[in-house]
Amino acid sequence: MSALAVNLNRRLREGAGSAWFPYLLVAPLALVLWGYVVQPMLATFVESVSEDGTANYAVFFSSSGVARASLFTSLFISLASVLLCGVVGVGMAFLLKRFAFPGRRLIEAFILVPAALPPLIGAIAFQLLYSDIGILPRALQQLFGAERPVLAFDDIAGVLVVHTFTMYPFFYLAASAALAGMDPSVEEAAYNLGAGRLRVWRTVLLPMLTPAMVSASLLVFMTSLASYTAPLLFGVSQTMTMQIYINRTNGDLPMASTYASVLGIVSILFLLLMRWYEGGAATGRSPRAWPTSGARSSTRSGAGWRWPPRSWPRWSCSPRSRRSRWWRSPRTGRGPAR
């Protein structure tokens, strides 16, 4: 038995350096992706064209049907959810990670409660609180003597409220991790070189938060696009998920598969767009010129410490110049060689 184990171990060590060994490791992953991702998507597309060919897609994109309106409504809800969740989540992360105040630890504990609750519970809770039959609008109606409930969220507004306050933890967690791992000397260097708060946020903080923002945007967009309980409870019937359910319930499986195929294509396109933005567009704004280490900030007290060091050539962040221009070195009194 020991000889067999030794022989097997020797063969594995010899095979680790061969050309076929990486393919052996990737094979189980490829089988899982094929069985649970690619094959179901192909089966859904085949079902959508099984009876009438591309007639279902022609009906989907016709101007008189509800399919295109459902697509636009789902896209609007998803994009608006990404924007609102980004504002709330990043704002909370910046407030809790950059400022110290009493009760901060308690707020950090309660701020993640929506992430621990199932989406159905959050949708029902907000319906009972803020819809036309909600507690708060009815109480305000009785207080002000109004004919209708006051500050009641219904239809698309109610869906956006549910999405915002149940999905902002995606942005909060990603932005908090990025801010915690950020080198503070980069931001301090920008302030010492004359950049204002808005310029530092636009040219330093935002590019460094780009990977976190992209990952959170993908999670929020995909979750909002596949949301079913919030549109159902707030009466928004013209969404992709609601139309899939309605067509499947009515026995029109090819049309339901058409909705699902279009929904999958939209998700893949948004994924490719975010990957392009992170790898291409965001790279052009990354603050490559800022030094990240090697000296202490000028805000610290102590003789002889200054930022940047005297031996470093320094550059100007003045808005009068669109590109960085070298200052004269304090040691030589000359600029860079030309």
Side-chain angles (χ1 to χ4, degrees):
M1 188 66 183
S2 61
L4 180 61
V6 171
N7 189 20
L8 181 60
N9 190 14
R10 181 178 58 83
R11 287 181 176 272
L12 288 176
R13 287 200 307 267
E14 292 175 355
S18 61
W20 55 265
F21 189 74
Y23 297 99
L24 180 63
L25 296 179
V26 173
L29 177 61
L31 291 177
V32 171
L33 291 177
W34 169 259
Y36 292 96
V37 178
V38 179
Q39 196 272 338
M41 293 180 65
L42 291 178
T44 302
F45 176 75
V46 171
E47 180 65 30
S48 66
V49 297
S50 60
E51 294 185 359
D52 301 327
T54 59
N56 289 328
Y57 291 93
V59 173
F60 184 93
F61 292 104
S62 64
S63 58
S64 58
V66 299
R68 195 170 67 171
S70 301
L71 177 61
F72 290 155
T73 303
S74 295
L75 287 177
F76 172 76
I77 291 176
S78 300
L79 294 175
S81 299
V82 171
L83 180 61
L84 293 175
C85 291
V87 172
V88 175
V90 176
M92 288 184 176
F94 191 82
L95 176 64
L96 295 176
K97 296 300 179 182
R98 291 301 182 91
F99 299 94
F101 51 88
R104 182 169 64 93
R105 296 296 182 184
L106 184 62
I107 296 177
E108 288 181 349
F110 280 103
I111 208 172
L112 296 177
V113 171
L117 296 177
L120 179 61
I121 295 179
I124 293 178
F126 277 96
Q127 184 189 30
L128 295 177
L129 286 175
Y130 300 112
S131 66
D132 287 335
I133 60 173
I135 299 174
L136 182 61
R138 291 294 184 180
L140 294 177
Q141 179 185 10
Q142 294 293 331
L143 179 62
F144 295 107
E147 297 180 357
R148 301 183 60 184
V150 180
L151 296 178
F153 292 95
D154 203 1
D155 203 62
I156 295 179
V159 175
L160 290 178
V161 170
V162 172
H163 286 181
T164 301
F165 290 99
T166 56
M167 300 179 190
Y168 75 84
F170 293 131
F171 274 94
Y172 171 77
L173 291 174
S176 297
L179 289 173
M182 189 178 299
D183 190 355
S185 64
V186 179
E187 187 178 353
E188 293 173 1
Y191 284 123
N192 292 336
L193 292 172
R197 292 184 178 272
L198 182 60
R199 187 180 178 89
V200 170
W201 176 263
R202 182 174 56 87
T203 60
V204 178
L205 294 179
L206 187 59
M208 297 181 71
L209 290 174
T210 295
M213 302 280 283
V214 168
S215 62
S217 298
L218 286 173
L219 290 173
V220 173
F221 184 85
M222 302 299 181
T223 307
S224 301
L225 201 63
S227 177
Y228 172 74
T229 55
L232 176 64
L233 293 177
F234 284 91
V236 183
S237 61
Q238 290 190 357
T239 61
M240 296 291 287
T241 52
M242 289 293 297
Q243 291 300 317
I244 291 173
Y245 173 76
I246 291 173
N247 284 276
R248 182 65 180 86
T249 305
N250 294 335
D252 194 355
L253 186 58
M255 195 62 192
S257 301
T258 302
Y259 277 93
S261 299
V262 174
L263 196 65
I265 293 173
V266 170
S267 301
I268 293 174
L269 290 177
F270 186 79
L271 172 63
L272 295 177
L273 177 64
M274 289 290 98
R275 295 294 295 174
W276 169 82
Y277 175 77
E278 181 183 9
T283 304
R285 297 198 310 268
S286 61
R288 297 182 181 272
W290 301 107
T292 58
S293 62
R296 298 188 182 181
S297 170
S298 63
T299 58
R300 293 198 49 178
S301 60
W305 291 105
R306 59 175 297 162
W307 179 267
R310 293 183 181 274
S311 60
W312 285 19
R314 295 171 291 177
W315 55 92
S316 172
C317 282
S318 173
R320 294 176 299 179
S321 174
R322 288 186 174 270
R323 62 180 184 178
S324 299
R325 54 187 178 88
W326 294 94
W327 291 352
R328 294 185 181 275
S329 173
R331 288 191 174 182
T332 62
R334 300 190 301 272
R338 297 181 179 274

